[in-house]
Every structure is written in C-alpha cells, then in structure tokens.
Amino acid sequence: MSEIILEVENLRKYFPIKTGFKQVRYLKAVDNVSFTLARGETLGVIGESGSGKTTLGKTVIRLYKPTGGKILFNGEDIAPLPRKALKKYRKKMQIVYQDPYSSLNPRMRIRDIIGRPMKIHGLASTREEITSRVKQLLEEVGLPSEVMHRFPHELSGGQRQRIAIARALATEPELIVLDEPTSALDVSIQAQILNLLKEIQRKRNTAYIFISHDIAVVSYMSDRIAVMYMGVFVETGPTREVIGEPMHPYTKMLISVVPEPDPTKKIRVTEDLGEPQLPIDPPPICRFHDRCKYKLPVCDEKAPPKIPIGESGRTVACWLYGKGKTVERN
Ligand code: SF4
C-alpha cells in the first residue's frame, strides 16, 4: 500500500458572522471533512463555487487555522500548531492559485520570485546557488533560463502559471494544493499545464489536492474524487467509479451539465442546477435537501451517514443508499 502522508479527520473551518447585538452565526465552510492522501496521489475536490473547496485546501495546509479536527501530516497533527511552529511544515506544503498574475509580485523579477522561498526556508544561501536552482526549476517547468530576468507582466498567462508552479516547487514540497490552476487559461494552454503537473508528479512523487469546478479537468488529473457540497463531502471514491457511475444526487446533477467533448454537439444539460445556499448554521439534515429530486421523508429529519459502497473505499452520504436501498443510476 502507498505511504499515506496526509490524514484529515473531522476537519472544521467556521467563519463567524455578526448578525446583530451579541448575536453570532457561523458560516460552516468546511464541516467534518475526513480523507487521506498517499504520496504521489491526486485527490480531486469538485463542487460548485462556494462549496468550500478553496477553504478546505487553505485549511489543510494551515493558511487558515481550523476550528476543529485533525490534520496529520506525516503522522504529526499540525492543526493546533501556533504560527511559529508551522514554519518547518510550510516548505513541505505549497499552493498554486487560479490567477498567476495576482499571485506573483509584479515588482519582482522571476529569479527573485522563485528564489525567495528558498531563502526564507534556508534551502539556498548564496546568490550563485539560488540562480542555479532557479535555472533548474525553470527548465523543469519548460521555460528558458533567460526568463529569470523578466517581470511577470512580460510573460503570457501560461508562462506565469509555470512560474507559479516553479515557485511552489522551490521548497521541494511533498504536498501541493492546486486551486483551479488552469481555470484562467485558454483551453490549449490548460492541457499543457495539466500535462506538466502530471509529469512533475511522476518525477517527484508529490501528492496533489486538485480543486476545480470542472469535472473533465478533475477526472483527467485525479486518482480519487471527493464531491463537496456546502462544506461537506457528499461522495468520494476512485475517479472512474464516481464519474462513470455517480451515486449521490448532487454528483449526478454536476455530471449532467458536463459539456460534450465534441464541440459540434450541444451541451448536455439535463438538470436545472438552481443555486446552492451558503452553509450558515445549516440544520443537521442533508444539505442538499432543498435541491434534491429524490428526497425521502427522513432527509428532512437527520443528516445522512457516510455509507461505504463496495471494497474500493467509495462512500456516499445519502439516505437512498442506507439499509441496502439503491436508486436508479441515470
Ligand atoms: Fe437527496 Fe435525501 Fe440523499 Fe439528501 S439524503 S441527497 S435529500 S435523497
């Protein structure tokens, strides 16, 4: 079995919202989320905008302090650690954001952008050492070394995203959160960046959490998929099973609006998605209850448990699958 580097248990991230005098409500952006990740593996996290995907990614690598739960990174719980104690873990966990332009300092040259994390974490000290490492990283992400003398605005969107990836690699991370890394790019460039990420993972055995609203992209990149809705995982499992035979009504709904690969065909929209609510103090029942066409009476009474399906580690949180019940898979 592959080595597990990340175990997340009942992770919670709540944001307080003041609603009146002494009244506080909570936006439960991540609520009791659990999963594991092996070295060299990609977990794709899919869901609509506002489902809590980005908050999950940022909380797992401790850019946000969790409200509760555990984050075992190489066996050590980093969830309760104070800021100072996190420094030694920061270099092992990196993030690449959607928009490479706003994530790169426009006043810094590429050499300094990529070299800075090396300096901060003491991975290279002399100027020559940093320059030589930057050259290697540029080569690894498919850019010529002359690029190091330029500023971000002198590069194309795809080149900037390659720089963001090189910066993330500068600290030799074991885990990278990829937060919609290709959403801001043209389709032809997207494919190049996805293939580059795959190649890097193959060489370095890095674990990825790949966040996207794009099912086609997540399917291409991920070994396993977690479907997130209003702060909770509603379905998880191997990619081919979740995409090939979605079980949770929300997963079915998402997959029903995936564009056909053939551009001459119409987009296959068979469901009216409606709008998800924000999970502000949600009642302890299924969070999908107001959009679900399969709803049972129990769905308005209590939250569904996570039900294991088969032997592949697949789970689905839906009353339709409790006590041996199944639903027609369309
Ligand atoms: Fe629909 Fe009930 Fe399943 Fe929720 S638990 S997705 S409301 S059937």
Side-chain angles (χ1 to χ4, degrees):
M1 196 183 150
S2 323
E3 183 194 352
I4 299 293
I5 64 160
L6 181 70
E7 288 176 82
V8 172
E9 292 174 19
N10 300 321
L11 189 66
R12 300 191 300 284
K13 179 61 192 171
Y14 299 170
F15 295 98
I17 302 170
K18 284 202 177 129
T19 52
F21 183 64
K22 281 191 176 171
Q23 256 194 325
V24 180
R25 300 184 74 200
Y26 288 92
L27 171 66
K28 298 189 172 179
V30 176
D31 206 5
N32 278 314
V33 166
S34 302
F35 65 91
T36 58
L37 188 64
R39 207 172 282 285
E41 186 186 31
T42 300
L43 174 73
V45 182
I46 186 118
E48 293 159 282
S49 131
S51 59
K53 309 182 296 295
T54 295
T55 305
L56 173 67
K58 287 183 168 180
T59 310
V60 163
I61 61 168
R62 280 300 317 269
L63 293 180
Y64 288 148
K65 188 171 176 9
T67 307
K70 289 184 177 175
I71 306 164
L72 299 165
F73 183 70
N74 285 325
E76 235 179 294
D77 188 7
I78 60 166
L81 294 184
R83 220 186 151 107
K84 258 191 171 173
L86 282 170
K87 194 179 170 193
K88 72 170 178 172
Y89 297 98
R90 292 253 182 258
K91 63 181 174 197
K92 298 285 171 199
M93 302 183 289
Q94 291 290 332
I95 186 163
V96 173
Y97 293 102
Q98 172 178 0
D99 181 359
Y101 197 61
S102 59
S103 69
L104 303 177
N105 187 334
R107 286 184 295 275
M108 283 170 80
R109 289 187 195 274
I110 301 305
R111 181 201 170 277
D112 299 324
I113 289 174
I114 300 175
R116 195 159 176 264
M118 294 178 206
K119 257 191 188 168
I120 291 173
H121 293 286
L123 298 168
S125 43
T126 64
R127 223 184 138 68
E128 294 69 37
E129 227 181 313
I130 291 174
T131 304
S132 145
R133 275 293 291 138
V134 170
K135 260 188 198 168
Q136 284 169 13
L137 286 165
L138 286 173
E139 193 182 325
E140 188 171 353
V141 299
L143 291 173
S145 55
E146 306 86 79
V147 161
M148 76 167 85
H149 306 296
R150 300 204 201 147
F151 290 96
H153 73 267
E154 297 177 281
L155 305 177
S156 69
Q159 287 174 325
R160 283 196 290 263
Q161 197 58 302
R162 286 174 193 265
I163 298 297
I165 293 167
R167 179 181 57 181
L169 295 175
T171 59
E172 308 282 334
E174 294 173 38
L175 165 69
I176 304 181
V177 173
L178 298 157
D179 187 2
E180 305 264 8
T182 56
S183 306
L185 304 174
D186 290 346
V187 177
S188 59
I189 308 295
Q190 273 187 22
Q192 292 172 16
I193 298 292
L194 295 177
N195 289 331
L196 172 67
L197 289 166
K198 280 197 161 204
E199 179 62 16
I200 288 168
Q201 184 177 51
R202 198 185 55 73
K203 279 198 285 194
R204 294 176 170 247
N205 211 19
T206 315
Y208 291 159
I209 296 178
F210 192 97
I211 293 168
S212 180
H213 65 280
D214 185 329
I215 291 184
V217 167
V218 170
S219 314
Y220 179 65
M221 290 300 291
S222 314
D223 302 296
R224 285 183 300 132
I225 283 186
V227 183
M228 196 163 186
Y229 184 74
M230 284 179 70
V232 296
F233 280 179
V234 294
E235 182 165 0
T236 61
T239 300
R240 63 180 184 288
E241 290 186 26
V242 175
I243 300 299
E245 256 194 304
M247 294 179 79
H248 194 280
Y250 178 60
T251 317
K252 286 169 182 257
M253 190 190 263
L254 279 182
I255 288 176
S256 72
V257 292
V258 174
E260 288 285 352
D262 179 350
T264 58
K265 287 189 183 169
K266 279 190 181 154
I267 287 177
R268 186 162 40 107
V269 180
T270 58
E271 304 258 9
D272 175 11
L273 280 173
E275 287 296 323
Q277 306 288 313
L278 283 175
I280 299 173
D281 286 341
I285 58 173
C286 174
R287 294 194 182 176
F288 193 58
H289 73 286
D290 55 345
R291 296 171 80 191
C292 181
K293 65 179 184 185
Y294 302 100
K295 196 164 91 168
L296 304 168
V298 67
C299 305
D300 281 330
E301 290 163 15
K302 45 189 177 179
K306 216 192 248 184
I307 296 161
I309 308 286
E311 306 294 315
S312 62
R314 189 169 188 188
T315 65
V316 58
C318 174
W319 285 116
L320 292 171
Y321 300 94
K323 294 176 188 162
K325 280 185 175 178
T326 55
V327 69
E328 191 189 330
R329 297 175 187 180
N330 52 25

